[in-house]
Amino acid sequence: MKNRFDWEKGFGIDFDLSGGHSKNAEVTRRYLSQMEGVFADETERKRQCRKEDVLVYEFYELGAPEDSGDLSFGTTVLYPGKVGKEYYMTKGHFHTILDTGEVYYGLSGTGYLLTENKAGDIEIHKICPGEAVYVGKGYAHRTINTGDTPLVMLYVFRADAGHDYETIRENGFLRRCVEKDGEVEFFENHRG
Ligand code: MN
């Protein structure tokens, strides 16, 4: 996979604007059955899984060498849906190299990037087509789809950053995002 593109000389690649797909990228899929402990209502998540184990999100990676100076980029496609009142979201992560920034660029759909650092500072960024979001160094990030269509984003970050999913898996984020009376609402997630 790492030799599929010429990372030394550079290359061009197309991504589908509405679907986020690219025929040369490697796809990773996350189904609702793989999202244990992510949503507040675990009983409802399991009930939905029994009915149908839906695809919640997928990302298309190009397999950049994990070297300093290289950039990892690709697309994330987060499908619309809810567990109870809580919108579908990605698991979210810190980077192993904590001081890593990341760029997201909205290609289609609407939602939010929920970010927080280890000091407990929270930043919530709206994401929509044609707008870029810069996630600051040290901020964990999670994408939330609050629309009715797939939320498709291009991402770019340093290729040697690594991923720390564990911290979020254990603690969750400081905010949850739900639909309340037809509006998007963020509320405090009481952890531990
Ligand atoms: Mn990231």
Side-chain angles (χ1 to χ4, degrees):
M1 176 180 175
K2 292 202 190 316
N3 297 321
R4 194 173 295 168
F5 304 102
D6 194 334
W7 293 92
E8 290 188 8
K9 291 181 180 172
F11 58 91
I13 186 166
D14 61 291
F15 281 101
D16 182 279
L17 284 172
S18 58
H21 308 257
S22 185
K23 61 179 180 298
N24 293 310
E26 182 162 294
V27 63
T28 303
R29 297 193 165 95
R30 302 274 191 238
Y31 290 86
L32 196 56
S33 60
Q34 298 169 285
M35 303 286 285
E36 187 177 359
V38 173
F39 297 94
D41 192 342
E42 187 63 10
T43 308
E44 174 61 15
R45 183 191 68 87
K46 285 181 181 157
R47 194 192 65 79
Q48 284 190 22
C49 283
R50 282 195 298 272
K51 214 167 96 186
E52 190 190 354
D53 189 13
V54 300
L55 179 62
V56 178
Y57 65 100
E58 55 192 342
F59 46 92
Y60 291 81
E61 294 179 281
L62 303 182
E66 291 178 7
D67 294 333
S68 119
D70 276 308
L71 294 170
S72 178
F73 72 106
T75 50
T76 303
V77 183
L78 174 58
Y79 292 97
K82 291 197 274 291
V83 172
K85 293 283 185 186
E86 195 170 18
Y87 293 104
Y88 278 1
M89 60 184 127
T90 60
K91 290 184 176 181
H93 57 263
F94 284 98
H95 288 280
T96 311
I97 298 176
L98 192 59
D99 277 346
T100 295
E102 184 159 350
V103 170
Y104 281 84
Y105 182 67
L107 299 177
S108 64
T110 55
Y112 292 88
L113 264 168
L114 174 61
T115 76
E116 66 183 48
N117 64 16
K118 292 197 176 176
D121 302 317
I122 298 162
E123 299 293 334
I124 300 171
H125 307 278
K126 179 96 180 131
I127 190 142
C128 59
E131 272 195 41
V133 172
Y134 184 72
V135 177
K137 292 192 289 186
Y139 278 81
H141 35 287
R142 156 178 286 169
T143 312
I144 303 164
N145 187 345
T146 56
D148 301 322
T149 58
L151 175 56
V152 184
M153 297 150 292
L154 182 87
Y155 63 83
V156 188
F157 64 96
R158 61 183 289 180
D160 60 346
H163 288 86
D164 164 21
Y165 286 99
E166 196 60 19
T167 305
I168 295 301
R169 194 185 66 77
E170 283 177 11
N171 303 324
F173 276 75
L174 290 161
R175 292 287 180 275
R176 288 194 176 276
C177 184
V178 296
E179 183 264 327
K180 191 180 178 190
D181 303 326
E183 302 287 327
V184 176
E185 188 175 280
F186 286 88
F187 71 93
E188 195 176 341
N189 180 30
H190 297 284
R191 310 199 281 200

